[in-house]
Amino acid sequence: MRQFIRFLLIPGFIGWILGGCSEKIEPKPPTYSQLLTGTDKKTWKMVSFQVIDAGNASGVIPVNQSNIAPCIYDDYLTFYANSERKFEASEGPTKCSASDPDLYLTDTWTLVNANATLEFYIPVLNGKYPWIIKNLTSTSMTVQYYFQDIDASYQFTFTPVTTK
């Protein structure tokens, strides 16, 4: 009888106790920052844009079918997940000049969750502007800039090139 208790009931009782102490795993949805930067860094490229003037939208224009030079629209924008919020703009597959450096801009990015504003540099406009995030997922980012003095805005859509 002792062997029965030792070999069957004691291991069963210990297994029941330890099995009942499991921690419930709850998924944590990624934040805006994590969608933008990945865990280390994430590189994006522009795929389309839209011009909205007095409420009339131009329709979505793929950048490779626009009058924008490929050496500008194919640039890579890298957002880092570090505390400095480092941002880099680098040449894509097409350079405007063979002597252009691969990495041509190092700056920072700023995200304000309260109004979904993301401030960063866009090569097509050659400037850093506060963009309203219209859509941000792990596979797409759409931002829009509203002009202050006229009833118009620009909307750009990006897709990730690499994520680390």
Side-chain angles (χ1 to χ4, degrees):
M1 183 70 163
R2 283 186 186 180
Q3 284 184 341
F4 175 74
I5 293 173
R6 220 182 284 159
F7 291 113
L8 187 61
L9 293 179
I10 292 176
F13 180 72
I14 291 173
W16 177 73
I17 289 175
L18 294 176
C21 297
S22 65
E23 180 182 336
K24 185 178 178 183
I25 299 173
E26 294 185 28
K28 294 181 182 178
T31 64
Y32 266 151
S33 294
Q34 290 168 330
L35 290 171
L36 180 67
T37 65
T39 55
D40 183 36
K41 67 180 179 177
K42 193 171 194 176
T43 301
W44 299 81
K45 70 174 184 170
M46 185 182 307
V47 291
S48 67
F49 68 94
Q50 190 171 19
V51 178
I52 302 157
D53 188 8
N56 299 317
S58 65
V60 176
I61 303 166
V63 290
N64 61 357
Q65 296 174 10
S66 68
N67 291 330
I68 302 169
C71 65
I72 296 172
Y73 75 66
D74 73 353
D75 288 2
Y76 296 146
L77 308 176
T78 303
F79 295 84
Y80 287 83
N82 58 14
S83 60
E84 295 84 25
R85 294 186 172 189
K86 183 179 172 183
F87 171 84
E88 292 178 340
S90 57
E91 292 287 347
T94 310
K95 287 187 173 187
C96 292
S97 171
S99 63
D100 287 347
D102 285 338
L103 175 65
Y104 64 86
L105 176 80
T106 299
D107 199 0
T108 58
W109 58 272
T110 305
L111 176 66
V112 178
N113 281 339
N115 57 4
T117 302
L118 177 62
E119 188 173 323
F120 69 101
Y121 172 87
I122 290 188
V124 171
L125 301 177
N126 195 24
K128 184 176 180 178
Y129 299 96
W131 300 91
I132 301 297
I133 299 171
K134 302 304 276 184
N135 180 43
L136 180 58
T137 67
S138 60
T139 59
S140 177
M141 173 174 59
T142 302
V143 295
Q144 189 165 3
Y145 177 76
Y146 296 92
F147 292 95
Q148 301 298 320
D149 52 346
I150 58 174
D151 184 17
S153 63
Y154 288 147
Q155 187 169 309
F156 293 96
T157 300
F158 301 85
T159 58
V161 178
T162 61
T163 303
K164 289 185 182 182

